[in-house]
Amino acid sequence: MSDEELIKKYVPNDNYEEALQKLKSGYPVQYIIGNVEFYNSLIKVNENVLIPRFETEYLVEKTIKYLKKININNPKILEIGTGSGCIAIALKKHLNCDVDAIDINPKAITIAKDNAILNKVDINFMHLDIHDFKSENKYDLIISNPPYVPIGNEVDEKTKYEPQNAIFASDNGLYFYKIILNKVKNNLKPNYLIAFEIGDKEEIYLDEYIKTILPNSYIKIEKDYNNYERYLFVSNSQI
Ligand code: GLN
């Protein structure tokens, strides 16, 4: 469906002209209509959350594939930086699993909870900054699409309407991977999977860092449909 058709479908007639003007000014259609399709689920969005991307559907798909490959069947999952909740919801719908999901922004958690209700799934969404994460729980899967665009990099014009702290990260984009790895390294089950969406070329620098935190791990990189290295998986098993 074209953006105009989406607006016709979702925006009440009275607001149609105004919505069309907003679209012409470059405002994202997903915020205008208030939802987006992600991995066969309808996900509600507003300016408090990043708009779910196509690439991130692949993260979900590949994660499900690797969980099977390493024989993890009923995973206990932690998602960090859940935003709209799209990843957590997609996983919960496709796996027999138990999902905790955190976000630094309480307004994002409100939307994520609405999305869980909309999609009839039960997820433990919590307002928590990863810097404050402290838990005795052991997880089979840690998954995150954190902010990873290096500060100062050029991005699509439309992203200026999205929460900037969901997009940009310091340390050449690596800041949150390092925090996450440090925070969760003692919360992994013996047979575990870590799944990250990453920025272009970030695997080169992450590889070495991961080996210092999880010395006996295996790392696997996968590309997105544009042929960019976009997903990084870490496991105790050869994947
Ligand atoms: N991939 C997103 C973009 O290109 C950024 C989201 C993120 O940093 N996780 O805008």
Side-chain angles (χ1 to χ4, degrees):
M1 232 185 274
S2 72
D3 288 354
E4 280 86 355
E5 284 167 340
L6 279 170
I7 288 176
K8 227 183 186 119
K9 178 170 172 192
Y10 287 105
V11 175
N13 272 346
D14 287 356
N15 303 343
Y16 180 71
E17 280 308 318
E18 190 191 334
L20 220 50
Q21 286 312 314
K22 267 187 158 177
L23 182 71
K24 283 190 183 134
S25 75
Y27 193 71
V29 68
Q30 296 90 340
Y31 287 155
I32 298 175
I33 65 174
N35 64 61
V36 56
E37 256 213 46
F38 182 84
Y39 215 77
N40 301 323
S41 296
L42 201 64
I43 299 291
K44 174 179 149 179
V45 292
N46 67 22
E47 286 190 15
N48 295 309
V49 295
L50 191 82
I51 297 165
R53 310 281 203 264
F54 275 140
E55 299 94 287
T56 307
E57 293 187 324
Y58 269 32
L59 176 69
V60 172
E61 191 174 310
K62 288 170 195 293
T63 298
I64 292 172
K65 178 183 95 178
Y66 282 122
L67 285 172
K68 288 214 170 82
K69 191 170 176 190
I70 60 175
N71 290 318
I72 297 178
N73 292 313
N74 302 306
K76 184 165 176 64
I77 299 172
L78 172 65
E79 192 204 352
I80 296 149
T82 191
S84 64
C86 63
I87 295 175
I89 290 166
L91 290 171
K92 182 75 191 181
K93 278 186 156 181
H94 289 84
L95 294 169
N96 186 5
C97 60
D98 182 14
V99 189
D100 291 341
I102 66 170
D103 201 283
I104 191 172
N105 181 358
K107 290 180 180 162
I109 290 297
T110 302
I111 295 185
K113 285 182 174 171
D114 286 353
N115 278 324
I117 293 167
L118 262 172
N119 285 281
K120 302 187 174 62
V121 289
D122 190 12
I123 292 168
N124 184 22
F125 285 114
M126 288 170 284
H127 168 223
L128 184 70
D129 180 344
I130 184 62
H131 296 93
D132 301 325
F133 176 81
K134 204 169 185 327
S135 168
E136 299 292 311
N137 290 341
K138 300 281 183 196
Y139 293 94
D140 302 271
L141 170 66
I142 307 284
I143 188 165
S144 186
N145 171 24
Y148 60 67
V149 177
I151 292 169
N153 266 30
E154 227 176 278
V155 285
D156 190 287
E157 177 73 2
K158 282 193 168 66
T159 61
K160 73 176 178 215
Y161 298 103
E162 296 181 284
Q164 300 296 290
N165 67 347
I167 296 177
F168 295 102
S170 60
D171 193 2
N172 293 314
L174 305 181
Y175 180 81
F176 286 98
Y177 304 111
K178 293 183 179 176
I179 291 283
I180 292 169
L181 289 162
N182 273 293
K183 283 287 177 180
V184 305
K185 64 174 188 270
N186 296 320
N187 300 86
L188 300 168
K189 288 194 187 169
N191 192 23
Y192 69 84
L193 181 69
I194 300 174
F196 285 142
E197 186 173 311
I198 61 168
D200 193 26
K201 310 263 187 316
E202 293 183 340
E203 73 283 359
I204 299 167
Y205 306 97
L206 273 175
D207 200 88
E208 209 173 307
Y209 189 79
I210 291 166
K211 291 289 184 205
T212 66
I213 304 280
L214 297 163
N216 299 315
S217 59
Y218 294 91
I219 297 171
K220 177 96 179 209
I221 313 291
E222 294 242 23
K223 291 182 174 174
D224 65 15
Y225 59 91
N226 281 322
N227 226 22
Y228 288 117
E229 292 179 326
R230 181 67 64 208
Y231 317 99
L232 185 148
F233 297 90
V234 190
S235 178
N236 58 293
S237 303
Q238 189 143 24
I239 43 178

